[in-house]
Amino acid sequence: MAYRVLGRTGPPQPRRARRLLFAFTLSLSCTYLCYNLLCCCNDLGRSRRLGAPRCLRGPSADGQKLHKSRPCDPPGPTPSAPAAAVPGPRLPASNLSGSPRLGTKRLPQALIVGVKKGGTRAVLEFIRVHPDVRALGTEPHFFDRNYGRGLDWYRNLMPRTLESQITLEKTPSYFVTQEAPRRIFNMSRETKLIVVVRNPVTRAISDYTQTLSKKPDIPTFEGLSFRNRTLGLVDVSWNAIRIGLYVLHLQSWLQYFPLAQIHFVSGERLITDPAGEMGRVQDFLGIRRFITDKHFYFNKTKGFPCLKKTESSLLPRCLGKSKGRTHVQIDPEVIDQLREFYRPYNIKFYETVGQDFRWE
């Protein structure tokens, strides 16, 4: 075999060929590995910006190549689903009940159905302190004025509630609406009904005082109350007088609901003993007695109990300016005549509900 001076002649040696092939293969592997690492790092950085940590996967079962990165599995059983999107900011615990993302809009399980100027707003504001009650703040007038809009419209007005909470709404005019008992019964025969009643004479004067503040030119209270005062003929067509005939309105409700499903709140005792009256309301609704004496203080200016400041309210909360306003002065003889007129209706009402409100 011949050799040249500066090199060897003949075919390349096998060892040299293997070295060249190994170097070439190593170069390709390094290039591929660097490419994968760059991709993975890019994914890793992007996932960190999104708040979802990512991990590198090992070789596949056939040992051929590395797979792309995937979300890191939590400790314990490894779910197959990818990591979820970044969650929104958490709300403080005190705001959870008001979050639109929590709970479901439901038809009310309880209604404050009456009566106007009896103390329904006070009962509503007091019961809303309870964590197991969510109440609509406005009066929807569904069962008297908006029934044609349908139950879906009505449900959509309601606040969202959890399974453990009661949905409640207040519209005082329901109690004197002839169709309301049947309509509510058709919604749910299990609905609990709350009626806040007050001395009918005092209630009528309060009703008139409110109307007078809006319409200063209306006739006098005496003129509206009687068809003939000399004969003692009371005008029961006047709404302020008609509402106070509680026992007559109650008959319509008893055609659809048992008396045990109707709770009567004394408007007078709501002022003198708010905790006691609200304790009975909570019992009726089947919820714990959360609202107690510690929630109230008596406002001497308004002559009405107000709610003390709570964890969610830095200031005490009283009812609006229209609540506790001074009544117009009425001739005492007119008041005596109206008391005599209401007396038999009141007595019949006491007997029907099994409770003496002591209005005489």
Side-chain angles (χ1 to χ4, degrees):
M1 189 176 291
Y3 289 88
R4 299 179 63 181
V5 176
L6 297 178
R8 294 177 296 181
T9 61
Q13 297 299 315
R15 180 177 297 179
R16 182 183 179 191
R18 286 197 298 271
R19 288 177 179 175
L20 290 174
L21 179 62
F22 175 78
F24 179 75
T25 302
L26 180 61
S27 175
L28 284 179
S29 298
C30 290
T31 302
Y32 184 79
L33 179 60
C34 291
Y35 172 80
N36 276 279
L37 287 174
L38 286 173
C39 291
C40 291
C41 289
N42 185 49
D43 286 345
L44 182 60
R46 183 165 58 250
S47 66
R48 283 177 176 171
R49 288 194 297 272
L50 292 175
R54 304 185 69 85
C55 298
L56 295 177
R57 295 183 66 179
S60 62
D62 56 9
Q64 295 299 315
K65 63 180 179 179
L66 292 169
H67 292 277
K68 291 184 179 180
S69 62
R70 61 169 176 80
C72 289
D73 294 328
T78 55
S80 58
V86 181
R90 284 192 174 186
L91 295 175
S94 59
N95 293 332
L96 288 179
S97 61
S99 172
R101 296 183 180 181
L102 294 179
T104 305
K105 291 190 174 186
R106 299 180 177 88
L107 293 171
Q109 295 92 19
L111 298 171
I112 301 175
V113 298
V115 297
K116 180 184 179 184
K117 306 308 297 180
T120 57
R121 173 56 61 175
V123 172
L124 179 71
E125 293 303 321
F126 295 164
I127 198 63
R128 291 175 81 181
V129 175
H130 202 294
D132 295 337
V133 176
R134 297 295 312 283
L136 184 65
T138 57
E139 298 175 5
H141 286 277
F142 176 67
F143 295 105
D144 57 354
R145 302 177 190 172
N146 296 304
Y147 193 65
R149 294 177 179 264
L151 286 174
D152 287 339
W153 176 85
Y154 183 51
R155 181 190 291 108
N156 194 52
L157 297 178
M158 297 299 124
R160 294 179 182 271
T161 52
L162 304 176
E163 288 291 340
S164 59
Q165 293 176 316
I166 294 174
T167 304
L168 182 144
E169 76 107 328
K170 170 193 86 83
T171 303
S173 55
Y174 290 162
F175 189 66
V176 297
T177 301
Q178 190 70 25
E179 300 84 1
R182 174 180 54 82
R183 290 171 174 176
I184 295 172
F185 178 84
N186 288 338
M187 177 187 71
S188 172
R189 63 183 63 192
E190 305 299 326
T191 305
K192 294 184 176 182
L193 308 169
I194 298 173
V195 186
V196 189
V197 290
R198 186 182 184 186
N199 186 317
V201 180
T202 309
R203 196 221 66 81
I205 296 173
S206 179
D207 199 339
Y208 176 79
T209 301
Q210 183 184 52
T211 304
L212 185 64
S213 67
K214 300 175 181 178
K215 302 177 180 179
D217 57 344
I218 61 173
T220 64
F221 179 83
E222 295 88 336
L224 293 169
S225 298
F226 295 92
R227 287 189 289 124
N228 188 319
R229 184 182 168 188
T230 303
L231 298 176
L233 299 177
V234 176
D235 189 355
V236 294
S237 66
W238 185 32
N239 199 47
I241 295 294
R242 185 175 63 89
I243 290 175
L245 302 173
Y246 303 139
V247 70
L248 299 185
H249 302 300
L250 180 59
Q251 301 309 313
S252 300
W253 293 89
L254 294 179
Q255 293 178 19
Y256 293 92
F257 296 95
L259 192 61
Q261 215 163 309
I262 308 174
H263 179 72
F264 298 92
V265 177
S266 168
E268 286 79 18
R269 287 198 296 268
L270 192 62
I271 296 175
T272 60
D273 183 21
E277 281 301 295
M278 293 310 299
R280 286 181 278 275
V281 170
Q282 292 169 92
D283 293 344
F284 172 70
L285 294 176
I287 55 181
R288 61 193 172 97
R289 285 201 175 195
F290 174 84
I291 305 169
T292 60
D293 284 321
K294 67 181 182 181
H295 289 90
F296 300 100
Y297 78 96
F298 190 81
N299 187 304
K300 295 181 180 179
T301 302
K302 297 181 73 67
F304 204 85
C306 297
L307 291 167
K308 294 180 181 178
K309 63 180 181 180
T310 60
E311 294 179 358
S312 60
S313 175
L314 299 178
L315 297 173
R317 188 165 81 248
C318 282
L319 301 181
K321 294 180 180 180
S322 64
K323 308 300 179 181
R325 63 161 64 96
T326 303
H327 290 175
V328 296
Q329 293 297 313
I330 305 298
D331 185 342
E333 291 185 4
V334 171
I335 294 178
D336 289 340
Q337 283 181 292
L338 289 176
R339 282 176 177 169
E340 287 302 316
F341 166 75
Y342 279 119
R343 187 183 304 277
Y345 296 100
N346 291 343
I347 293 174
K348 185 65 175 176
F349 180 64
Y350 301 164
E351 294 173 349
T352 303
V353 303
Q355 187 175 346
D356 188 350
F357 292 90
R358 302 183 182 278
W359 292 327
E360 283 68 38

